[in-house]
Amino acid sequence: MMGEQTLVQTKTEISDAIVVSDPPVDIPSNPSKIPIRPQKIRKLSSTTDQKTLQTADSSQCVVAITKNRRRGSLKSTNALPQIIKPLSANGEIENALHHLRSADPLLGSLIDTLPFPVFESDQLPFLALCKSILFQQLAYKAGSSIYNRFISLCGGEDVVCPDVVLSLSAQQFKEIGVSGRKASYLYDLANKYRAGILSDESVVKMDDRSLFTMLSMVKGIGSWSVHMFMIHSLHRPDVLPVSDLGVRKGVRMLYGLDELPRPSQMEQLCEKWRPYRSIGAWYMWRLIEGNGISTTAAIVMEGGHVQPLQQIEPQREVQQHQLQLLEPINGVGKLGACVWGQ
């Protein structure tokens, strides 16, 4: 009897324990015991999967094409530099005239009425640059006289070199009529040659942009002087002297403009002449020469920039020492010849 009561009491305690106890809780697998929101799994349709794959494939193709283009550009960069044919090379003048006739009918008509362009010069770059410095601020006759004295002082044109120029004293330059300022320009040019910054070989091989930058570093050599040197000494085919008064007058006459075009306008007007703008400039000089227009140019050298006479006329009394007078032979058509020895 006692055993039955004990068994009933035990069952009652177990039943009470079951009722009182909390419901079972799943033990999370996260050992840090930080509550984690279960990730939602999104099922994509087959159509969406195909679009995603197509987008990924197209992106990979774009990346591949971009890489190939970059590789191609690197290959072209590493390629040999393009050889610039001077206008004195065989057939270059004919190619230039053919292009200009088709690109600019007005210029083409002018070409048919004027003589064939000639570009000949046997002077080395260093000598030609020295000559341009000596002619600055002087009329042609005075410049020629001083240049001939300079050649005699050096011992002849074939002897003129950086070392010879540097061996001359300021007093020797003064005795032949070269100012102290011009002498400093010649010294600076010779020093840049001696230091290896410039050389006749590098000057000939440089592209137009690099050459303009390097020569503009020389004291006393501005944009107009560089342009004249590139056209008349190196015979570069695509040089437009936008600050040259004669070329600007020629463009005004050719296109019937009311006013003299500004340098910025010259670039736009003569864009069609590329890559033979030097020939176009040559014909502009011939055009105004044939029409009897006065071509004596007065140019001020200021900060490496060249300005025509009419832009500085009011400042004549203040800047008289800065004027560079150029007196061409038989008109502006010979403008380069008088300075560059053609």
Side-chain angles (χ1 to χ4, degrees), residues 199-309:
S199 68
D200 284 348
E201 183 179 3
S202 66
V203 165
V204 172
K205 291 183 178 180
M206 273 189 235
D207 60 85
D208 291 349
R209 185 182 297 272
S210 301
L211 181 60
F212 185 90
T213 301
M214 295 301 293
L215 291 182
S216 297
M217 294 171 57
V218 180
K219 293 180 181 178
I221 296 182
S223 61
W224 184 89
S225 297
V226 176
H227 286 154
M228 294 299 103
F229 172 74
M230 292 171 69
I231 294 175
H232 298 290
S233 291
L234 300 183
H235 309 150
R236 293 293 175 91
D238 194 32
V239 179
L240 180 65
V242 294
S243 298
D244 184 86
L245 185 59
V247 177
R248 294 170 66 196
K249 284 185 176 181
V251 169
R252 177 185 179 183
M253 183 177 299
L254 180 67
Y255 297 120
L257 305 178
D258 294 333
E259 298 179 354
L260 199 67
R262 298 188 299 272
S264 59
Q265 295 173 321
M266 290 284 293
E267 292 282 356
Q268 299 175 358
L269 291 169
C270 304
E271 178 66 23
K272 62 177 73 71
W273 296 352
R274 287 182 183 270
Y276 294 107
R277 293 181 297 174
S278 299
I279 298 292
W282 188 91
Y283 275 104
M284 294 304 98
W285 286 320
R286 291 296 184 268
L287 173 61
I288 63 174
E289 175 188 20
N291 283 271
I293 297 177
S294 175
T295 58
T296 300
I299 299 175
V300 60
M301 307 295 293
E302 183 178 0
H305 300 289
V306 182
Q307 300 175 347
L309 178 60

Side-chain angles (χ1 to χ4, degrees), residues 1-70:
M1 188 70 177
M2 290 292 294
E4 292 177 359
Q5 291 177 354
T6 303
L7 180 60
V8 170
Q9 185 178 359
T10 302
K11 288 182 178 180
T12 303
E13 292 174 356
I14 294 173
S15 176
D16 294 338
I18 293 173
V19 172
V20 173
S21 64
D22 295 329
V25 179
D26 294 336
I27 300 175
S29 60
N30 183 10
S32 65
K33 297 183 180 181
I34 299 175
I36 300 176
R37 179 178 295 179
Q39 298 180 353
K40 295 181 180 180
I41 301 175
R42 183 179 179 182
K43 186 176 180 181
L44 300 175
S45 63
S46 59
T47 305
T48 306
D49 292 342
Q50 291 178 358
K51 291 182 178 180
T52 304
L53 292 174
Q54 290 176 358
T55 304
D57 292 340
S58 62
S59 300
Q60 292 177 356
C61 291
V62 172
V63 172
I65 293 172
T66 304
K67 289 182 177 179
N68 290 334
R69 287 178 178 175
R70 289 177 179 174

Side-chain angles (χ1 to χ4, degrees), residues 95-109 111 272:
N95 294 336
L97 298 183
H98 176 75
H99 168 76
L100 293 174
R101 283 190 178 101
S102 60
D104 190 345
L106 289 176
L107 181 58
S109 300
I111 290 173
K272 62 177 73 71

Side-chain angles (χ1 to χ4, degrees), residues 62-252:
V62 172
V63 172
I65 293 172
T66 304
K67 289 182 177 179
N68 290 334
R69 287 178 178 175
R70 289 177 179 174
R71 290 174 183 173
S73 63
L74 290 175
K75 289 181 180 179
S76 61
T77 303
N78 296 330
L80 294 176
Q82 182 179 3
I83 298 176
I84 302 175
K85 287 187 178 181
L87 292 171
S88 52
N90 291 334
E92 276 304 290
I93 297 294
E94 289 81 359
N95 294 336
L97 298 183
H98 176 75
H99 168 76
L100 293 174
R101 283 190 178 101
S102 60
D104 190 345
L106 289 176
L107 181 58
S109 300
L110 177 65
I111 290 173
D112 294 336
T113 62
L114 293 174
F116 197 78
V118 177
F119 290 86
E120 295 179 353
S121 176
D122 55 356
Q123 287 186 341
L124 294 175
F126 181 77
L127 177 60
L129 291 170
C130 287
K131 189 173 186 179
S132 70
I133 292 174
L134 291 171
F135 269 80
Q136 289 178 6
Q137 303 176 353
L138 296 175
Y140 174 72
K141 292 181 179 179
S144 298
S145 177
I146 291 178
Y147 175 74
N148 292 332
R149 295 175 199 164
F150 168 74
I151 295 302
S152 299
L153 184 62
C154 292
E157 286 188 337
D158 297 337
V159 184
V160 177
C161 66
D163 290 336
V164 170
V165 172
L166 291 174
S167 68
L168 301 176
S169 65
Q171 181 61 32
Q172 288 177 301
F173 277 119
K174 185 177 180 180
E175 291 175 355
I176 63 172
V178 178
S179 66
R181 179 177 295 182
K182 284 188 182 179
S184 69
Y185 296 162
L186 293 171
Y187 287 145
D188 187 63
L189 174 65
N191 278 319
K192 284 181 169 55
Y193 261 77
R194 174 179 279 184
I197 299 174
L198 293 172
S199 68
D200 284 348
E201 183 179 3
S202 66
V203 165
V204 172
K205 291 183 178 180
M206 273 189 235
D207 60 85
D208 291 349
R209 185 182 297 272
S210 301
L211 181 60
F212 185 90
T213 301
M214 295 301 293
L215 291 182
S216 297
M217 294 171 57
V218 180
K219 293 180 181 178
I221 296 182
S223 61
W224 184 89
S225 297
V226 176
H227 286 154
M228 294 299 103
F229 172 74
M230 292 171 69
I231 294 175
H232 298 290
S233 291
L234 300 183
H235 309 150
R236 293 293 175 91
D238 194 32
V239 179
L240 180 65
V242 294
S243 298
D244 184 86
L245 185 59
V247 177
R248 294 170 66 196
K249 284 185 176 181
V251 169
R252 177 185 179 183

